[in-house]
Amino acid sequence: MSSRTAESPGAAPVYAYLRRHAIEHEAVARLRGLGYGVIRTDGRYPGVNLIAMKGDRFRFVCLRRRKHPAGTIAGVAAVYAEDLHELRRYISSIVSADLWIWCRQDGWRYFGVYPGGIQEIGGDDGRRL
C-alpha cells in the first residue's frame, strides 16, 4: 500500500481548514460559556466561521483578527462590507448574525449584524456580549 495521495488540480489544500487559530478556540469557548453548542464551518472568506445553536435558535459568527484597532462602527461596516453582506443572507426569525473582531491592542469587539446595519454589542472593556 502506498502512502502517496492524489491531489485534484486547482483544489485548495485542506491544511488551512485543519489549522485552527487561537482566536477561534477562544470564540468557541465564549459561545459554549453562553450555553451554545458550536460547530465550525470550512472558514472560507468571506462568511460564517462558527455556527452556534441554542434551542431552536442559531447564531452565525464571522471571526476576524486585526493588527490595528478596528475604529468606528462606520469604519468597521466599510472594511467588512463583504462579510456583512454574506452574513445578512442568513438572517431570519431563527438566525442572528455577529461579527467578532479581535485585535491585540483592543481585545474582542462584538457587533450584531442586522438587515439595515450593525451595532456594537460588547467588548473586552466590560460591555456585554
Side-chain angles (χ1 to χ4, degrees):
M1 182 181 267
S2 172
S3 63
R4 286 189 268 168
T5 61
E7 291 188 22
S8 181
V14 296
Y15 306 113
Y17 172 70
L18 296 176
R19 189 181 77 214
R20 295 177 69 156
H21 294 283
I23 67 162
E24 193 172 328
H25 286 288
E26 187 175 336
V28 168
R30 287 176 182 233
L31 287 164
R32 288 186 176 147
L34 294 170
Y36 288 93
V38 183
I39 60 173
R40 183 173 172 230
T41 68
D42 65 1
R44 288 181 291 167
Y45 188 84
V48 178
N49 300 99
L50 303 173
I51 299 174
M53 301 155 287
K54 185 192 281 186
D56 63 349
R57 303 278 184 219
F58 296 88
R59 188 174 190 171
F60 285 19
V61 180
C62 175
L63 302 174
R64 294 293 175 251
R65 61 186 173 155
R66 299 177 51 94
K67 291 181 181 180
H68 304 286
T72 66
I73 293 176
V76 169
V79 170
Y80 296 101
E82 194 174 359
D83 287 313
L84 298 174
H85 176 74
E86 182 69 17
L87 288 168
R88 286 185 182 110
R89 294 180 47 210
Y90 304 107
I91 296 173
S92 72
S93 61
I94 63 167
V95 176
S96 63
D98 292 350
L99 171 64
W100 292 17
I101 300 174
W102 184 86
C103 172
R104 182 176 300 153
Q105 296 161 329
D106 283 350
W108 285 100
R109 287 182 70 190
Y110 308 101
F111 299 88
V113 179
Y114 305 99
I118 63 173
Q119 178 180 1
E120 192 156 6
I121 57 174
D124 281 348
D125 60 0
R127 291 172 285 167
R128 69 173 184 83
L129 169 59

